[in-house]
Amino acid sequence: RRHRRLVVLRGPPGVGKSTLARALRAQLRAAGLAVVSVALDAQRDRAAVLAALAAALDRPARTTDDRVVLDRVARALDDARAVVFLDGLDAVADTASLVLRDLFEATEHVAVVACAWRRLGLSDEHVLPVAPLAPPAAAELLVRRVAQLAPTRRVDPDEALALAARVAALPLAVELVAARVASLGPAA
């Protein structure tokens, strides 16, 4: 079986891509692997993406020469045989794709897990779709979260199912609904 260097957790906002990535990151760290986390939400261009990678490695970019920064980042990641986690990729997906292409060309051992709405279009990309919860699971999450936040508040299972359906069973949206329901106080 061929080793994949890029895994994209793909799905809509609020579906749980970042949560899955955090869980995987924790497991890899516990197994003793080198892990680097980079949030790209605020990055807008190649230099900023490279600077964010360099900063995550505690090797700040002290030059504006992208080739030099890429080389430093590539060597540090390859030496560490690191798994890089990229989140907040969507606003800069095209630029990040080009940086990743260059990074993969410059390294042998680097693997990347990225959270995105769409494919990045790289040849070695493996996409894992992250779907919303099944409606019964979303309703169960809502009931459980309300009970944790407001132990005296009870939610009817049919009401929970309807509320979960209204927010497309997206885990983040279910969490927000649960917080709102819990804030309403005890059920009458």
Side-chain angles (χ1 to χ4, degrees):
R1 191 169 149 175
R2 208 177 112 193
H3 174 72
R4 300 282 185 161
R5 293 183 71 189
L6 173 61
V7 175
V8 177
L9 301 176
R10 181 175 176 249
V15 78
K17 301 178 301 285
S18 298
T19 301
L20 287 173
R22 274 192 302 276
L24 177 58
R25 206 168 46 232
Q27 287 181 343
L28 293 176
R29 276 193 181 121
L33 294 173
V35 175
V36 176
S37 300
V38 183
L40 296 177
D41 301 285
Q43 314 318 320
R44 294 292 175 242
D45 58 30
R46 180 180 176 83
V49 170
L50 286 168
L53 282 163
L57 291 162
D58 290 327
R59 291 192 165 100
R62 293 192 172 105
T63 178
T64 57
D65 186 337
D66 290 354
R67 290 170 297 165
V68 171
V69 178
L70 177 67
D71 184 57
R72 285 181 191 161
V73 166
R75 275 186 288 140
L77 290 172
D78 220 22
D79 290 347
R81 293 180 178 244
V83 179
V84 179
F85 284 81
L86 298 177
D87 204 356
L89 191 56
D90 295 302
V92 69
D94 293 334
T95 300
S97 293
L98 296 173
V99 169
L100 288 175
R101 182 201 63 208
D102 294 345
L103 187 63
F104 289 144
E105 287 175 4
T107 62
E108 293 180 37
H109 306 291
V110 175
V112 175
V113 176
C115 299
W117 292 4
R118 63 181 176 93
R119 297 181 65 94
L120 298 179
L122 297 174
S123 61
D124 204 23
E125 178 176 7
H126 180 69
V127 176
L128 293 175
V130 181
L133 297 170
E140 180 183 323
L141 174 63
L142 192 140
V143 168
R144 192 172 61 245
R145 290 292 191 253
V146 169
Q148 289 171 343
L149 295 168
T152 60
R153 175 81 174 156
R154 297 288 172 245
V155 180
D156 175 74
D158 291 334
E159 180 182 283
L161 196 56
L163 287 169
R166 287 184 69 184
V167 295
L170 291 168
L172 179 59
V174 170
E175 294 277 356
L176 294 171
V177 169
R180 177 68 178 132
V181 169
S183 74
L184 297 175

